[in-house]
Amino acid sequence: MNWAFKWLSSVSLGLILLSVCNISFANVLQPIIDDEQLTLSVQVKNESVVPKQQVLVEVEMSSTQPFEDAMVMPYLDLKNAVVKNDDQQVTRSARMLDGEKWYTQTTKLYIYPLTAGTFVIPSFDVAVALNNESGSPLKGSVSSKETTFSVQKPSSMETTNELVTGTNADFTLTTDKPISDAFEVGEAVVLTYQLTVKNSHMMLLPDVKVPDISGVEVYEKPVAKENIFDRLSKRNTAALTQAVTVVFQESGKLIIPSQSIKWWDTEAKQLKTLTTEPIEFQVGASGALIEDHDLVADITKFGSQYGVYFLGLFCFAGLSIDIVLKRRARPNSEEKTPAKIDVNTEIKQYKSAIEGQRFSEAVDHLYLIAGNRTFSDKLDSESALIWKQLLSYSFAKDKHKQPLTPQQAQILLSAVTNTESTSKPEGFDWRLNP
């Protein structure tokens, strides 16, 4: 009992001392706060705020005594809003007010409300350490007051939720190859959609919806979103990049349609539309057909001017060839037939490429096995899925890809070499994607 009494007394004494220390520590700065010589203010700088607009909040701590350390803002969580602390260092300054010198520390908060309504910035505490000439620094905390701001949704924004808000915005579509190039079936082009919005946050950017395009295989890469801070203008730009690989499956004219995104201009206070330009590709021999008329006309014109010279040159070349052929000991009069593709050899090379996980080489051999023609009509659901997987691996840059099994390769090969379904010869079709 004596031991238990001593232990209980020790614990009680420790708790009392700890409470006294906490009370003493908490009340160190209270007289300075009561005399209004240490303040913490929160001020909203925006007016007429709409959903997803950046709300700039300035937090300033002032004291008649110098600060020991820079203030550290706590994390604030607001419902239906994205809150971001300033990435820049706390700004320190000093000024004279009514003949008395004040020391200030200033930082910023960026709040992006997602909906209309009234938002409350709750009261929060900031740790403070003041310089004390007579001894150790005076440490404690100072509290802010609740601050409210309102968000209004204009009538023009009622019809859509998929929009961006900022002082400036841009939406573009580019390609990794010139669109004036002549493309063939099986070739690929990378389309890159890019959206940038000033004074916004990447979490507020909507995903780009890639349109359905007939006559191509589409492979989307993961969306990349980032915040880009400009130290000169001290503004944040939210950026989105969506890359899409398009593989041509049919010949003809192919059009990538335009895409649109709504944008609320916070400076003009208007709802605008960002639209990409449509892109047109010519796939197959259609480009050569278009230029055929002009080419024939040029040859005819050239021949009419220099016809006599061509005739003499043709006769001289004919006589020379005849003399050379007669002097040969063993003239070869047999016609050479064009070389044919050895399908069995291509099949072996295709299987070897699959075993070595050389997917781009396997795709080339598969097209040669099919006679340089598309074979989508021969594929069932299982083989079509394997074909898409093989194409995806051939254009992907990621080295950590799942291997394609020999069984899957054989299923795809059997579907391609199947002679039961007859494919129509390829030709130019102006009705493709009009």
Side-chain angles (χ1 to χ4, degrees):
M1 292 296 293
N2 188 20
W3 176 85
F5 178 76
K6 289 182 179 181
W7 179 83
L8 184 60
S9 301
S10 301
V11 171
S12 301
L13 181 60
L15 292 175
I16 294 172
L17 291 175
L18 183 60
S19 301
V20 171
C21 291
N22 287 337
I23 294 173
S24 176
F25 177 78
N27 292 335
V28 167
L29 298 179
Q30 193 60 45
I32 302 177
I33 297 174
D34 294 339
D35 291 341
E36 297 184 351
Q37 294 182 345
L38 176 62
T39 61
L40 180 63
S41 63
V42 178
Q43 186 178 5
V44 178
K45 295 293 184 179
N46 299 68
E47 296 180 359
S48 303
V49 180
V50 301
K52 297 186 179 181
Q53 180 177 349
Q54 182 189 84
V55 178
L56 176 60
V57 180
E58 187 174 270
V59 180
E60 182 180 87
M61 185 166 60
S62 303
S63 173
T64 56
Q65 295 179 244
F67 295 102
E68 281 286 321
D69 304 313
M71 70 171 173
V72 179
M73 281 292 299
Y75 173 75
L76 300 180
D77 187 12
L78 271 67
K79 187 178 180 181
N80 294 328
V82 177
V83 182
K84 183 178 183 297
N85 290 354
D86 194 4
D87 294 332
Q88 303 303 300
Q89 294 181 351
V90 174
T91 303
R92 295 194 183 199
S93 62
R95 64 175 182 267
M96 298 299 295
L97 185 62
D98 295 333
E100 189 175 14
K101 189 174 184 179
W102 284 78
Y103 301 89
T104 62
Q105 294 189 8
T106 307
T107 188
K108 295 179 177 64
L109 288 176
Y110 301 96
I111 302 176
Y112 302 89
L114 303 180
T115 60
T118 300
F119 289 80
V120 178
I121 303 175
S123 173
F124 56 88
D125 297 334
V126 175
V128 185
L130 300 178
N131 187 12
N132 185 13
E133 296 180 354
S134 60
S136 59
L138 301 176
K139 295 184 179 181
S141 64
V142 60
S143 301
S144 67
K145 296 181 179 179
E146 284 190 356
T147 306
T148 62
F149 63 91
S150 298
V151 178
Q152 304 293 332
K153 190 172 186 179
S155 57
S156 57
M157 294 177 64
E158 294 289 345
T159 57
T160 179
N161 291 323
E162 292 292 333
L163 56 81
V164 295
T165 304
T167 56
N168 193 11
D170 191 26
F171 187 34
T172 59
L173 172 60
T174 57
T175 62
D176 66 332
K177 299 177 182 177
I179 60 176
S180 58
D181 287 357
F183 296 92
E184 300 294 337
V185 173
E187 287 192 63
V189 174
V190 178
L191 309 176
T192 302
Y193 293 90
Q194 189 168 43
L195 173 64
T196 57
V197 185
K198 285 188 177 181
N199 288 338
S200 184
H201 193 277
M202 66 178 187
M203 294 179 62
L204 306 179
L205 299 181
D207 292 338
V208 176
K209 297 179 180 178
V210 180
D212 293 331
I213 308 170
S214 61
V216 297
E217 294 282 355
V218 178
Y219 302 94
E220 298 183 27
K221 295 183 180 179
V223 180
K225 297 181 181 180
E226 61 177 334
N227 289 319
I228 304 173
F229 187 80
D230 187 354
R231 296 184 180 274
L232 295 178
S233 62
K234 296 184 178 180
R235 291 185 174 184
N236 185 73
T237 299
L240 176 148
T241 302
Q242 172 70 73
V244 181
T245 300
V246 174
V247 184
F248 302 116
Q249 297 294 307
E250 298 178 11
S251 60
K253 182 173 67 174
L254 174 69
I255 297 178
I256 307 298
S258 60
Q259 291 285 87
S260 298
I261 292 179
K262 296 294 184 180
W263 162 48
W264 178 264
D265 188 345
T266 55
E267 292 185 345
K269 300 187 184 303
Q270 293 179 352
L271 186 64
K272 301 180 180 180
T273 302
L274 304 172
T275 306
T276 62
E277 294 293 333
I279 296 179
E280 179 178 324
F281 295 99
Q282 208 68 46
V283 184
S286 56
L289 293 175
I290 293 174
E291 298 177 358
D292 183 65
H293 176 75
D294 295 336
L295 180 61
V296 173
D298 292 340
I299 294 175
T300 304
K301 182 179 179 181
F302 187 80
S304 64
Q305 294 179 353
Y306 304 98
V308 177
Y309 301 100
F310 273 111
L311 181 61
L313 182 62
F314 178 77
C315 293
F316 176 77
L319 291 174
S320 301
I321 293 173
D322 184 61
I323 293 172
V324 171
L325 291 177
K326 289 181 178 180
R327 289 185 177 181
R328 281 188 178 181
R330 285 194 251 174
N332 185 11
S333 59
E334 296 181 359
E335 294 185 0
K336 294 184 178 180
T337 58
K340 295 183 179 180
I341 297 175
D342 189 348
V343 177
N344 293 330
T345 301
E346 293 297 333
I347 290 175
K348 292 180 181 180
Q349 293 178 351
Y350 162 73
K351 293 181 178 180
S352 176
I354 292 295
E355 293 177 359
Q357 302 300 309
R358 301 187 300 276
F359 301 114
S360 298
E361 184 179 336
V363 170
D364 295 337
H365 289 304
L366 210 56
Y367 271 112
L368 291 174
I369 294 170
N372 286 324
R373 295 179 177 273
T374 58
F375 43 81
S376 301
D377 56 337
K378 294 184 178 183
L379 304 181
D380 54 16
S381 59
E382 182 180 8
S383 56
L385 183 61
I386 299 173
W387 171 237
K388 290 183 179 180
Q389 183 180 359
L390 179 59
L391 281 177
S392 176
Y393 288 169
S394 65
F395 292 105
K397 296 181 179 181
D398 187 7
K399 296 182 179 180
H400 302 287
K401 295 174 288 194
Q402 295 294 330
L404 203 68
T405 63
Q407 292 78 11
Q408 291 176 311
Q410 183 60 43
I411 292 173
L412 180 57
L413 178 62
S414 300
V416 172
T417 56
N418 184 14
T419 58
E420 292 182 1
S421 61
T422 58
S423 59
K424 296 181 179 179
E426 294 181 4
F428 174 71
D429 186 0
W430 282 104
R431 296 173 298 174
L432 172 63
N433 204 352

